Amino acid sequence: MKGRKSSFSRHWRLWALTGFALLSSAGIYALAGYLMNPQTLPIRNIQIKNEFRNLDKVSLQQALLKAIDGGFFSVDLNRLRDAALSTAWVAEAKVTRVWPDRLVVEVVEQTPIARWGKDALLNDRGEVFHPRKGVSKSLPLQFNGDEDKAPMMLDFFVREQRAFRGIGKSIREVDLDKRGEWRLKLTDGTDIVVGKEQMDKRIQRLLGVYSALEQSEKKPRRVDLRYEQGFAVSWRSEEKG
């Protein structure tokens, strides 16, 4: 008799624990469903932080509002970040929740360093972006080429600009055509056809004698470096004053 009572007691405790576990799981599931419901604690405010020169806050806020797909707990922060990054002047974005109904979006604005083609800009990380409004003419540097080559073109420019400044010159335009031919234009208007092989070596060869070119009666208009042992020079028609 005593053994039966002990067995019944053990089974009763097991049933009780099982029932409690099932009720707890159901409760947790119901609570999770409630919290993940888009209507639970809806987002009522979006705060955009940091100072901007070119970014249109209204356009950014509209893009973020369209991307909201849930309430405080269920809203997809990655989706909101992607929406912010889709705005032309946004370089980086971080989205965080602030209890109970607010989102804070920290944004880093693009830093343009050059014009790209006719209607785009190049940032300081070698990325091309397309602002909705017209491209600023105040940027003196111009790049032309395929957008997927932008990082390589920026690296090339930085390297060669340093070399040209060593002789008191500066690059104002970098072109890379579909055949892989590089061309440069200097701030004094001189066109330099670099070609698609041994670019650094060819430019160094030119820089070694550039001062001699400038001592001639006429200024160089176009310099073609695509020769194995030297280069060809076309001169400007006007004489040096």
Side-chain angles (χ1 to χ4, degrees):
M1 190 71 175
K2 190 174 181 180
R4 287 183 179 179
K5 287 183 178 180
S6 177
S7 176
F8 176 79
S9 177
R10 286 197 301 271
H11 283 93
W12 185 87
R13 285 197 299 270
L14 179 61
W15 293 336
L17 288 171
T18 302
F20 179 76
L22 290 173
L23 287 172
S24 297
S25 298
I28 292 171
Y29 181 79
L31 178 61
Y34 171 75
L35 293 177
M36 296 306 290
N37 188 319
Q39 302 306 316
T40 302
L41 295 173
I43 301 298
R44 302 186 186 281
N45 182 267
I46 298 177
Q47 179 184 358
I48 300 172
K49 295 180 68 175
N50 289 343
E51 297 296 323
F52 313 109
R53 295 182 59 188
N54 298 291
L55 180 64
D56 183 353
K57 279 191 175 182
V58 174
S59 297
L60 175 57
Q61 196 154 33
Q62 288 174 347
L64 291 168
L65 287 170
K66 290 179 182 178
I68 292 177
D69 58 354
F72 184 81
F73 291 102
S74 59
V75 65
D76 188 338
L77 298 186
N78 287 328
R79 176 184 168 93
L80 284 163
R81 179 176 181 273
D82 290 342
L85 291 174
S86 69
T87 304
W89 280 98
V90 176
E92 297 177 18
K94 178 183 177 183
V95 185
T96 54
R97 299 179 179 91
V98 177
W99 179 264
D101 58 3
R102 183 158 57 100
L103 295 174
V104 174
V105 184
E106 297 179 72
V107 173
V108 177
E109 190 178 54
Q110 296 275 17
T111 303
I113 62 169
R115 290 171 285 123
W116 183 279
K118 294 181 179 179
D119 57 1
L121 295 170
L122 180 70
N123 70 16
D124 55 349
R125 297 184 296 186
E127 300 167 338
V128 178
F129 64 101
H130 297 261
R132 291 185 179 180
K133 297 181 180 180
V135 174
S136 172
K137 301 298 183 182
S138 62
L139 292 169
L141 185 59
Q142 173 75 45
F143 280 73
N144 301 297
D146 292 334
E147 291 188 11
D148 59 351
K149 300 291 197 314
M152 178 181 66
M153 292 180 68
L154 180 58
D155 287 343
F156 178 78
F157 163 75
V158 170
R159 187 169 67 248
E160 304 307 342
Q161 180 77 312
R162 188 180 302 117
F164 274 98
R165 282 182 173 168
I167 64 165
K169 297 294 178 181
S170 184
I171 301 169
R172 79 176 188 201
E173 186 171 324
V174 181
D175 300 324
L176 178 60
D177 66 21
K178 295 186 181 298
R179 297 172 299 172
E181 293 267 0
W182 291 88
R183 284 177 167 77
L184 303 173
K185 182 183 284 291
L186 304 185
T187 53
D188 65 6
T190 304
D191 291 312
I192 300 175
V193 183
V194 183
K196 54 184 178 181
E197 297 175 354
Q198 300 180 317
M199 289 85 70
D200 292 344
K201 181 179 178 180
R202 290 175 175 180
I203 289 173
Q204 286 300 324
R205 185 168 58 196
L206 170 64
L207 296 180
V209 298
Y210 204 92
S211 60
L213 293 180
E214 293 206 304
Q215 290 173 9
S216 62
E217 294 183 357
K218 296 181 181 180
K219 293 181 182 179
R221 178 179 62 83
R222 183 175 184 269
V223 183
D224 191 339
L225 306 182
R226 295 173 297 177
Y227 293 85
E228 187 173 346
Q229 299 298 327
F231 50 83
V233 181
S234 299
W235 304 95
R236 303 185 193 191
S237 57
E238 74 276 9
E239 295 186 358
K240 295 171 69 173

